[in-house]
Amino acid sequence: MLFQWIKSGKPWIWLTGGAVSVSLISVFGLLLLIGWKGLVYFWPMPLSVWTNENGNQIVGQVYQRATIPVSRLSHGQENLPEQIIEDGSVEQLSIKIANRELYPLDFIAVLEPNLSEPEHPKEWVVLERIQNGSFFGRPVEYVTEHGRYSSDVRSHLRYGVDFADALRVEMDRILNVEVREIGWELSQIRLQKRKVEFNGKLTPAYLDEYDEKKKALESLISEAESKLAQIRSKLKSEYLVVEEMSGSIHQIPLIDILDAWYPNDMTYFEKTVHWANQALKFLLDDPREANSEGGVFPAIFGTVFLVLMMSIIVTPLGVLAAVYLHEYAENNALTRIIRVAVINLAGVPSIVYGVFGLGFFVYSIGGSIDEFFYADKLPTPTFGTPGILWSALTLALLTLPVVIVSTEEGLGRIPLSVRDGSYALGATQFETLWRIVLPLASPAIITGLILAVARAAGEVAPLMLVGVAKLAPSLPVDSHYPFVHLERKFMHLGYHIYDVGFQTPNIEAARPLVYATSFLLVMVVVGLNLTAINIRNNLREKYRVLGQD
């Protein structure tokens, strides 16, 4: 009976179904873990106050709990209760104490039995700062140019933070609209002067005109910088006086404070609103503090823009190659070798593509473009340096075999009767291909593109050689002609994860940010794939024929 059941093949059906179920559970479990550890980063954790065995006060947030054997403790066993020593294990707390300029580490490890019961006073505040991370303290007074306020400090601090936000918006407007625009015009007239000088047409009249324009623009920049200095002076004139956990008093200038909240005095609704605001800042702000603080908007933009450029490049190349191999080329030794080469290219390590892109695209093609079209800018390279164009081309080569194989399989699934019917109506081979075959094969083409996007969006190794940067001051798209600047470096979510996770000086403090960025990268890839899948399903329904899935 058992032998017949095994011979029927049902065990293999159950085994296959079980394997798929385990795989799906593992994938969703991993995504849930990454998402939870990343999204909880924005939740306002409560501030706890303890007293250690020496009578010193510790203020911080519980970051992690771990149970460790007592035998692993090199010191401190004599302070533990006998019951814990007999049990052989003790609870250890990793506490985030922040205040980076006062203490060497953001975190301290303390044994829970050596601490008193935690208290959660409502008057302690968390200050989000531009530099040195967060600051935990008890507000004492708020100082402005109009006086000192020791009562109702909370409302004065809230007003000050809102006031600082409004001034920062004005500073950003001056920097982006005035200083940056004027600086761009100044760089353009300098470049024009170099072109005229390079062509040997420099005249005294042109120099006088150039000097006049230059002085006018420099005067405008000086005026804008004067406005910025006034705003900064206004922000520096106000500060918050706080007491930190050791009892010492410190002054935190308003210019350094981005936000302030009292986590122990917030309702669940207020915490939810705070969480949403912090998550929105993470999506829309620029990074700061060596990428360990702030947002990731440039990285999101760079990732999506790179994938779209790669898709625009790889799709026509892969489709043309597949059409030639399947529709025009004869089945001989040469085409068989080409197909084997295409399949083998899919297994080449991605870093090899990066080295090829650096040598061929950047140095050879980019250097030649600079010699022919940007000779006046040399020795400063324009296209002869890593940039987003060369990154897109490198990823297009990396994913080209996937698109070719998928498209060729789609062409092979189209019934011959469809082609014969087109020929019978008098259509040529090209007309049949363009109007009948390619539309029917479009779902397979989109499938290849989906696989290409899934692989390219997470690649980091080749990008490190051909264009990605730790911090890119300008996006590849702006309001200046030609509006899309393909020669610029860019930021990428994958490289951002690597940089924050392994290159940040305080890795432990930045670990939650790594989870948040990883979850965001997964969501970006899923969003791109879902868009392509929706397009493929619509095309599949539109061009469904007998014998085609």
Side-chain angles (χ1 to χ4, degrees), residues 320-332 335 339 411 423 428-434:
L320 288 175
V323 166
Y324 174 77
L325 289 174
H326 191 272
E327 301 291 330
Y328 291 98
E330 297 180 358
N331 187 18
N332 52 32
T335 55
R339 286 190 174 91
L411 293 173
Y423 296 148
T428 63
Q429 184 178 10
F430 177 78
E431 289 173 337
T432 301
L433 181 66
W434 181 254

Side-chain angles (χ1 to χ4, degrees), residues 176 180-181 184-185 477-485 488:
N176 295 325
R180 187 168 294 178
E181 292 292 330
W184 181 80
E185 292 181 14
V477 178
D478 59 21
S479 58
H480 297 142
Y481 181 83
F483 310 117
V484 178
H485 304 273
R488 289 182 181 174

Side-chain angles (χ1 to χ4, degrees), residues 443 534-545 549:
N534 185 52
I535 296 173
R536 181 187 65 182
N537 291 340
N538 291 335
L539 292 174
R540 181 174 290 170
E541 291 298 323
K542 183 177 180 180
Y543 298 112
R544 183 181 295 276
V545 294
D549 294 332

Side-chain angles (χ1 to χ4, degrees), residues 99-360:
N99 304 7
R100 195 173 296 167
E101 69 273 30
L102 303 178
Y103 303 102
L105 298 174
D106 278 13
F107 299 86
I108 58 172
V110 186
L111 299 179
E112 189 174 33
N114 294 335
L115 297 175
S116 65
E117 286 295 321
E119 299 178 358
H120 301 91
K122 296 182 178 181
E123 66 272 12
W124 283 78
V125 68
V126 176
L127 300 176
E128 181 185 2
R129 300 182 294 174
I130 295 178
Q131 296 179 340
N132 295 324
S134 300
F135 192 96
F136 302 158
R138 185 178 65 84
V140 177
E141 62 178 356
Y142 187 78
V143 181
T144 69
E145 55 186 5
H146 303 293
R148 308 173 75 94
Y149 304 93
S150 56
S151 61
D152 198 14
V153 179
R154 183 177 302 192
S155 61
H156 287 94
L157 176 59
R158 186 71 263 164
Y159 174 80
V161 170
D162 294 339
F163 175 67
D165 287 342
L167 290 183
R168 286 193 185 93
V169 171
E170 177 64 15
M171 290 175 65
D172 290 339
R173 187 196 66 80
I174 294 173
L175 283 171
N176 295 325
V177 177
E178 296 184 21
V179 175
R180 187 168 294 178
E181 292 292 330
I182 297 169
W184 181 80
E185 292 181 14
L186 190 58
S187 66
Q188 290 300 111
I189 66 169
R190 286 172 178 165
L191 179 60
Q192 186 64 31
K193 179 190 173 186
R194 289 191 64 180
K195 288 182 178 180
V196 173
E197 186 177 4
F198 182 77
N199 295 326
K201 298 179 180 180
L202 199 62
T203 62
Y206 181 86
L207 286 175
D208 292 340
E209 182 182 358
Y210 168 78
D211 291 336
E212 183 178 349
K213 290 181 179 179
K214 181 181 176 184
K215 289 179 181 178
L217 293 174
E218 289 176 344
S219 176
L220 292 175
I221 288 180
S222 298
E223 292 178 7
E225 290 177 345
S226 177
K227 294 178 185 177
L228 290 174
Q230 292 177 2
I231 295 176
R232 291 192 183 100
S233 176
K234 205 169 194 178
L235 287 172
K236 288 180 179 178
S237 65
E238 299 189 12
Y239 57 89
L240 177 69
V241 180
V242 293
E243 175 189 349
E244 60 102 21
M245 67 180 185
S246 66
S248 59
I249 302 297
H250 298 271
Q251 297 178 356
I252 310 295
L254 185 60
I255 193 173
D256 292 339
I257 301 176
L258 290 173
D259 199 0
W261 61 92
Y262 295 80
N264 298 336
D265 195 26
M266 298 174 70
T267 64
Y268 187 83
F269 177 76
E270 290 173 338
K271 290 183 177 182
T272 304
V273 172
H274 176 86
W275 176 86
N277 290 333
Q278 291 295 107
L280 192 62
K281 288 181 182 179
F282 176 71
L283 295 176
L284 300 180
D285 286 357
D286 292 341
R288 62 179 190 274
E289 282 286 283
N291 290 344
S292 62
E293 302 282 348
V296 292
F297 176 74
I300 297 173
F301 186 91
T303 303
V304 175
F305 189 72
L306 173 68
V307 170
L308 292 178
M309 278 191 61
M310 181 274 299
S311 302
I312 293 172
I313 295 171
V314 74
T315 302
L317 289 177
V319 171
L320 288 175
V323 166
Y324 174 77
L325 289 174
H326 191 272
E327 301 291 330
Y328 291 98
E330 297 180 358
N331 187 18
N332 52 32
L334 178 60
T335 55
R336 287 194 292 270
I337 292 174
I338 292 175
R339 286 190 174 91
V340 171
V342 168
I343 295 172
N344 288 335
L345 280 176
V348 174
S350 59
I351 190 65
V352 176
Y353 285 98
V355 174
F356 174 81
L358 180 65
F360 181 71

